[in-house]
Amino acid sequence: MSIAAVAQRAGVSPATVSRAFNAPQTVAPATRARIEAAAQFLAYTPNASAQTLRTRRTRSLGVLLPTLLNPVFAEYLSGVADAASSAGYSIVPVATDYVEARESDALVKLIARDVDGLLLTVANAQQSALLARLRRSGLPYVLTYNRHPEHPCVCVDGETAMRQLVSLAHAAGHRRIAMVSGQRNASDRAQQRHQGYLTAMHEFGLAPRLIEVPFMEALPSALTQPLGKADRPTALLCSNDLLAIRSLRAAAMAQLRVPEDVAVIGFDGIALGQELVTTLTTVAQPNRDIGLRGVQWLIDALSRHELPRPAHSITLPHQVRPGESFPLPHPMPSTPFPCHAESPL
Amino acid sequence: MSIAAVAQRAGVSPATVSRAFNAPQTVAPATRARIEAAAQFLAYTPNASAQTLRTRRTRSLGVLLPTLLNPVFAEYLSGVADAASSAGYSIVPVATDYVEARESDALVKLIARDVDGLLLTVANAQQSALLARLRRSGLPYVLTYNRHPEHPCVCVDGETAMRQLVSLAHAAGHRRIAMVSGQRNASDRAQQRHQGYLTAMHEFGLAPRLIEVPFMEALPSALTQPLGKADRPTALLCSNDLLAIRSLRAAAMAQLRVPEDVAVIGFDGIALGQELVTTLTTVAQPNRDIGLRGVQWLIDALSRHELPRPAHSITLPHQVRPGESFPLPHPMPSTPFPCHAESPL
DNA sequence: CTGTTAGCGCTTTCAT
DNA sequence: ATGAAAGCGCTAACAG
């Protein structure tokens, strides 16, 4: 059903029908009523492509993210989807698996799809030629999870969080505190978390120990082996929850009790962590909110015909979520690493 | 950059440029070369909306699914995304949370978006007015996970799988075999699985026991309570992996060892099941493949200007994936419930 | 093999 | 408050 059919049936011109939909107050109530009736009767739906061709707006957002197989990003995307949907936008997600080449491909495709704006989580915001191009393109975008002073970001302060964890572990009496990480340069988040670990360990005069785990293997020897040694770590700070879950299994394989023999903390706050036999103590990120806020910011910018400004980047608060894998003091010590949310809205 | 600009620079008409892109062999090599050079130079990208307006094809697929927060559907969507992307289609996912009203809304929105086809997983394919409307609409679609004789489906035979599990449990000596299920009428899959359980229990002359769990609570008493009783079940057949993971925790809370005191089997085959301290024995569905096949079928139909035909529905093979939560005989008994894949391709 | 022409459905000046 | 008319960028007959 085209607008012309509605116009004819309502006895008005196509232009008036268009107005009745897009600027109802500019059309006389009586006329509007007739138009609405006609539209109803004909089950008229505006043709999105024609609107787009004319207005150059698609009301869709591209979402570039590493993977859907990590629940962190599934939770995030779920937030993105809800926020977009309730603002009348649809989303076009593309997973890139942390591969830079796929990030570029995806970007090109999304741009060709004429998305109105872009939400992206890239492997590494520092060395991403992508972002430079993107900024030059003039297409509105917001980075999520990534932190970078020259780009608009909705993120969490992973470095601070990690320092906080080291501090907690130290306060609990731990001295052999290891960090479990995937291939470290896989993402800038992992790097930041690692940096926080190193800094804090240094501050406490402790020797850092890095356990680097190939991401693909289910139960890598990289993980089981250090736990077999006499001077094994007593606390494992994991760069993400998936690694923490593997660490729990590695500990069990090594006949170690969690948390008595080895305490484990995760990072990300995936929902499943709370359902495990040993619930996961973890740094809970507001994954859904990261998505929500990103979308809101983007759409807000879109509506004012502006670009999201790097200076308005938001750092959302994280929180250490208690679990059985690492007992926390009660009450939590007043955190020496305050974390404020700054809102651009 | 419009096609006109390219045409001008290459010294040909717009139509020829269009042909050079859409039917290269119909254009003289020399001309084509000039056009390509011009396009390259101007960084020309075809305008998708204009193409759509003209051809009535968007090269995008709507994906209606229950939720992204269950890894089953995240794995599935990941398959969908890959298959779509490699066929040059983008996807527009919408999560409906098993709520029929949201299913209808989503459908309307996707249709308004002019998707070329639809992949959907609905709560209940039997009583979904949605599907009747959808079929009448003439828009090509494929159901995934749902089974229904009158719709094109890519699914798994959950009823047979469940009977197989009862049979395995019985063979392992279990007699008090309970089924753990969410609100049973939440989805037709859950119903089918439950039906398989009932049938098989009846065949073996065993009394069925249903443990029904409110989906939202993390550790529902519905689950812990039956495990405290003297005649507690010795085997828990769970309607999905998330419930199985909760069951593992419930068992631990009740001081029961898995599998010695109570054995647990899941259903779905999410990747995380293999990373737990007690790895999950489960019915592994080919989640990614369900997505892949659904997309392939849909796109194939699209290309022939046909609708996917119900008669060509595919039942993909499931398999019982061994884990520590329920020891399996070695080798597996030749399954009394053969499961063939029938391909429409 | 290539050009001309018309029009997909909508929005938006510009008139009235 | 409403209508007429032009055009967004592209493709598909139809001619030549």
Side-chain angles (χ1 to χ4, degrees):
Chain A
M1 279 314 100
S2 83
I3 210 172
V6 179
Q8 183 171 10
R9 184 159 220 278
V12 297
S13 80
T16 307
V17 177
S18 175
R19 286 189 198 101
F21 279 85
N22 301 308
Q25 64 286 15
T26 71
V27 95
T31 334
R32 202 197 314 168
R34 258 183 305 131
I35 291 173
E36 270 159 16
Q40 190 89 39
F41 180 80
L42 298 170
Y44 166 73
T45 328
N47 179 311
S49 319
Q51 287 180 315
T52 295
L53 183 58
R54 199 46 238 244
T55 63
R56 329 243 61 195
R57 286 208 259 89
T58 56
R59 296 190 78 73
S60 71
L61 303 178
V63 185
L64 188 153
L65 75 179
T67 172
L68 288 167
L69 301 181
N70 186 333
V72 176
F73 296 111
E75 291 176 11
Y76 157 78
L77 186 60
S78 174
V80 169
D82 288 352
S85 158
S86 64
Y89 281 73
S90 58
I91 60 172
V92 183
V94 187
T96 60
D97 275 315
Y98 293 101
V99 177
E100 247 195 287
R102 296 190 55 184
E103 291 180 350
S104 305
D105 280 4
L107 184 64
V108 170
K109 279 188 189 161
L110 288 173
I111 292 178
R113 283 276 165 206
D114 272 333
V115 292
D116 290 346
L118 224 33
L119 234 36
L120 46 181
T121 306
V122 299
N124 193 321
Q126 323 300 321
Q127 60 188 51
S128 189
L130 203 73
L131 295 182
R133 254 202 292 144
L134 181 53
R135 192 168 32 183
R136 279 198 303 272
S137 81
L139 189 64
Y141 69 94
V142 170
L143 295 188
T144 45
Y145 293 98
N146 298 110
R147 322 188 75 189
H148 195 292
E150 296 170 24
H151 298 283
C153 300
V154 177
C155 58
V156 156
D157 185 350
E159 183 168 347
T160 295
M162 207 66 200
R163 288 171 54 207
Q164 195 174 349
L165 293 191
V166 172
S167 171
L168 279 172
H170 185 268
H174 291 281
R175 293 301 177 267
R176 301 200 301 270
I177 304 169
M179 169 144 190
V180 178
S181 179
Q183 256 89 314
R184 192 163 15 109
N185 36 14
S187 87
D188 50 9
R189 272 96 62 213
Q191 284 172 31
Q192 285 155 18
R193 293 169 191 180
H194 185 235
Q195 187 53 54
Y197 167 77
L198 289 181
T199 305
M201 289 297 277
H202 182 75
E203 282 170 14
F204 284 108
L206 298 175
R209 305 162 171 224
L210 179 64
I211 300 179
E212 215 161 348
V213 174
F215 204 73
M216 287 301 118
E217 283 176 60
L219 191 61
S221 56
L223 207 39
T224 49
Q225 204 199 315
L227 293 179
K229 296 191 184 160
D231 73 331
R232 59 178 163 69
T234 62
L236 298 178
L237 311 187
C238 304
S239 191
N240 65 58
D241 281 351
L242 257 22
L243 283 172
I245 289 171
R246 283 181 190 175
S247 298
L248 293 180
R249 178 157 171 83
M253 302 268 74
Q255 316 272 16
L256 299 175
R257 293 164 305 166
V258 175
E260 295 84 351
D261 300 322
V262 57
V264 174
I265 303 192
F267 205 116
D268 281 347
I270 66 179
L272 247 159
Q274 299 171 91
E275 314 252 19
L276 303 177
V277 167
T278 305
T279 59
L280 204 56
T281 303
T282 191
V283 174
Q285 299 178 310
N287 295 309
R288 276 187 67 85
D289 286 345
I290 292 175
L292 288 171
R293 296 293 288 271
V295 170
Q296 283 167 2
W297 190 8
L298 195 51
I299 289 181
D300 185 63
L302 251 28
S303 73
R304 319 167 143 29
H305 304 281
E306 290 174 359
L307 298 183
R309 300 195 44 219
H312 293 168
S313 285
I314 323 168
T315 300
L316 294 179
H318 57 267
Q319 80 183 306
V320 180
R321 178 197 289 162
E324 296 157 356
S325 69
F326 192 113
L328 260 20
H330 302 291
M332 284 277 290
S334 67
T335 166
F337 305 103
C339 185
H340 306 295
E342 306 130 35
S343 163
L345 302 178
Chain B
M1 280 312 101
S2 84
I3 210 173
V6 179
Q8 183 170 9
R9 183 159 222 279
V12 295
S13 80
T16 307
V17 177
S18 176
R19 285 187 201 104
F21 279 85
N22 300 309
Q25 65 285 18
T26 72
V27 98
T31 331
R32 201 197 314 166
R34 256 184 306 132
I35 291 174
E36 271 159 16
Q40 190 89 39
F41 180 81
L42 298 169
Y44 166 74
T45 328
N47 179 312
S49 318
Q51 288 179 316
T52 294
L53 183 58
R54 194 53 234 242
T55 63
R56 329 244 58 192
R57 285 208 261 89
T58 56
R59 297 191 77 74
S60 71
L61 303 178
V63 184
L64 189 153
L65 42 69
T67 173
L68 287 167
L69 301 181
N70 186 332
V72 176
F73 297 111
E75 292 176 13
Y76 157 77
L77 186 60
S78 172
V80 169
D82 288 351
S85 158
S86 64
Y89 281 74
S90 59
I91 60 173
V92 184
V94 187
T96 61
D97 275 314
Y98 293 101
V99 177
E100 247 194 288
R102 296 191 56 185
E103 290 180 350
S104 304
D105 281 4
L107 184 63
V108 170
K109 278 189 189 162
L110 288 173
I111 292 177
R113 283 276 166 205
D114 272 334
V115 294
D116 290 347
L118 225 33
L119 234 37
L120 46 183
T121 305
V122 299
N124 194 320
Q126 323 301 321
Q127 60 187 51
S128 188
L130 202 74
L131 296 183
R133 254 201 293 143
L134 181 53
R135 193 168 31 183
R136 279 198 303 273
S137 82
L139 189 66
Y141 69 95
V142 169
L143 295 187
T144 46
Y145 293 98
N146 298 111
R147 322 188 75 188
H148 195 291
E150 296 171 24
H151 297 283
C153 300
V154 176
C155 58
V156 157
D157 185 351
E159 183 169 347
T160 296
M162 208 64 200
R163 289 170 54 207
Q164 194 174 348
L165 293 190
V166 172
S167 171
L168 279 172
H170 185 269
H174 291 282
R175 292 302 176 265
R176 301 199 301 269
I177 305 169
M179 171 142 188
V180 178
S181 179
Q183 255 89 315
R184 194 161 14 108
N185 37 14
S187 87
D188 50 10
R189 273 95 62 212
Q191 284 172 31
Q192 285 155 19
R193 292 170 191 179
H194 185 235
Q195 188 51 55
Y197 167 76
L198 289 181
T199 305
M201 289 298 277
H202 183 74
E203 283 171 13
F204 284 108
L206 298 175
R209 306 162 168 224
L210 179 64
I211 300 179
E212 214 160 350
V213 175
F215 205 74
M216 285 302 118
E217 283 176 58
L219 190 62
S221 57
L223 207 40
T224 48
Q225 203 199 317
L227 293 180
K229 296 189 184 162
D231 72 333
R232 58 175 164 68
T234 62
L236 298 178
L237 311 188
C238 304
S239 192
N240 65 58
D241 280 351
L242 257 22
L243 284 172
I245 290 172
R246 282 180 191 176
S247 298
L248 293 180
R249 177 157 172 85
M253 302 269 72
Q255 315 272 12
L256 299 175
R257 293 164 305 165
V258 175
E260 294 83 352
D261 301 322
V262 57
V264 174
I265 303 193
F267 205 116
D268 281 345
I270 66 179
L272 247 158
Q274 300 171 89
E275 314 250 21
L276 304 176
V277 168
T278 305
T279 58
L280 205 56
T281 304
T282 192
V283 175
Q285 299 178 311
N287 295 309
R288 277 187 66 85
D289 286 344
I290 292 176
L292 288 171
R293 295 292 288 269
V295 170
Q296 283 167 3
W297 190 8
L298 195 50
I299 290 181
D300 186 62
L302 252 27
S303 73
R304 319 166 140 33
H305 303 281
E306 291 172 359
L307 298 183
R309 300 196 44 221
H312 292 169
S313 285
I314 323 170
T315 300
L316 293 179
H318 58 265
Q319 78 182 310
V320 180
R321 178 196 291 162
E324 295 157 356
S325 68
F326 194 112
L328 261 18
H330 301 290
M332 285 277 290
S334 68
T335 167
F337 305 103
C339 185
H340 306 294
E342 306 129 36
S343 163
L345 302 178

